[in-house]
Amino acid sequence: MVACLNQENLRIVTNSLPIFEMARSNPRNYKLVLVGGSYRRVSGSFYGALSNNELDSMNYDKAFVGVNGISDAALLTADIEEGQTQSIGLNNSQKRILVADMYKFNHRDFYQFYSLYDIDELVTNEQISPDVLEYYRQYTSIRTRIEE
């Protein structure tokens, strides 16, 4: 998603090193903020007290967060501290957007960090099953492409 951004005058705040690198390589002149903390190699993200304190002091127009799994209204991840960091980003945002490919639906993981009821919009790929799409629309608005 970040590789396809074409908006001007964005400030991107992330705790993800891969997202930061993608945004940095975008030809637009974005203001980039990389939030530090403990580094989790498997996800390429920073988490923990340092990240949480930084993120908690900021406010966002939109938060885009990924997940390891979605099971009914539960949003799940593999790591408790990483989930807490994601929750702070969502809580401090005016609009909460979840990004999840079709393989994340009906998939459980270790830690529930948020509820799909509290997400404003979910973005997924077009190949998602119509039945799965219909079921999860009871929790939030879903779209299968990014127009903006």
Side-chain angles (χ1 to χ4, degrees), residues 70 72-76 87 90 96 98 112-120 139-140:
I70 305 169
D72 296 319
L75 303 183
L76 303 137
S87 292
L90 290 167
R96 299 171 181 110
L98 186 70
Q112 178 180 342
F113 70 93
Y114 223 73
S115 171
L116 196 50
Y117 284 117
D118 297 321
I119 297 296
D120 296 305
Y139 300 108
T140 193

Side-chain angles (χ1 to χ4, degrees), residues 34 40 43 47 56 65 69-70 75 81 88 94 97 130 142:
L34 178 61
R40 186 165 183 253
S43 64
Y47 67 94
D56 202 29
V65 173
I70 305 169
L75 303 183
E81 289 181 306
I88 290 169
Q94 291 179 12
I97 302 167
I142 301 176

Side-chain angles (χ1 to χ4, degrees), residues 8 10 14 19 33 52 93 104 122 128-129 133 140 148:
E8 300 289 339
L10 290 180
T14 185
I19 297 296
V33 178
N52 294 351
S93 181
K104 303 298 193 274
L122 190 156
I128 189 168
S129 152
L133 195 60
T140 193
E148 206 175 301

Side-chain angles (χ1 to χ4, degrees), residues 15 35-38 46-56 85 88:
N15 69 323
V35 174
S38 299
F46 296 91
Y47 67 94
L50 291 173
S51 296
N52 294 351
N53 287 338
E54 287 182 49
L55 289 171
D56 202 29
T85 301
I88 290 169

Side-chain angles (χ1 to χ4, degrees), residues 69-134:
I70 305 169
S71 180
D72 296 319
L75 303 183
L76 303 137
T77 191
D79 186 86
I80 293 171
E81 289 181 306
E82 198 169 1
Q84 291 169 340
T85 301
Q86 290 171 297
S87 292
I88 290 169
L90 290 167
N91 287 339
N92 288 8
S93 181
Q94 291 179 12
K95 186 168 184 180
R96 299 171 181 110
I97 302 167
L98 186 70
V99 181
D101 65 41
M102 64 186 191
Y103 301 107
K104 303 298 193 274
F105 291 86
N106 298 319
H107 178 77
R108 296 196 54 78
D109 210 323
F110 177 66
Y111 179 70
Q112 178 180 342
F113 70 93
Y114 223 73
S115 171
L116 196 50
Y117 284 117
D118 297 321
I119 297 296
D120 296 305
E121 185 172 34
L122 190 156
V123 179
T124 190
N125 50 331
E126 293 177 331
Q127 294 80 13
I128 189 168
S129 152
D131 293 339
V132 171
L133 195 60
E134 182 181 338

Side-chain angles (χ1 to χ4, degrees), residues 4-55:
C4 298
L5 287 174
N6 60 13
Q7 291 87 352
E8 300 289 339
N9 301 316
L10 290 180
R11 176 183 295 126
I12 299 173
V13 177
T14 185
N15 69 323
S16 168
L17 190 56
I19 297 296
F20 177 84
E21 289 297 333
M22 276 188 235
R24 188 176 67 84
S25 66
N26 188 305
R28 303 222 176 345
N29 190 22
Y30 296 137
K31 294 178 183 175
L32 301 176
V33 178
L34 178 61
V35 174
S38 299
Y39 182 68
R40 186 165 183 253
R41 187 176 304 276
V42 70
S43 64
S45 65
F46 296 91
Y47 67 94
L50 291 173
S51 296
N52 294 351
N53 287 338
E54 287 182 49
L55 289 171

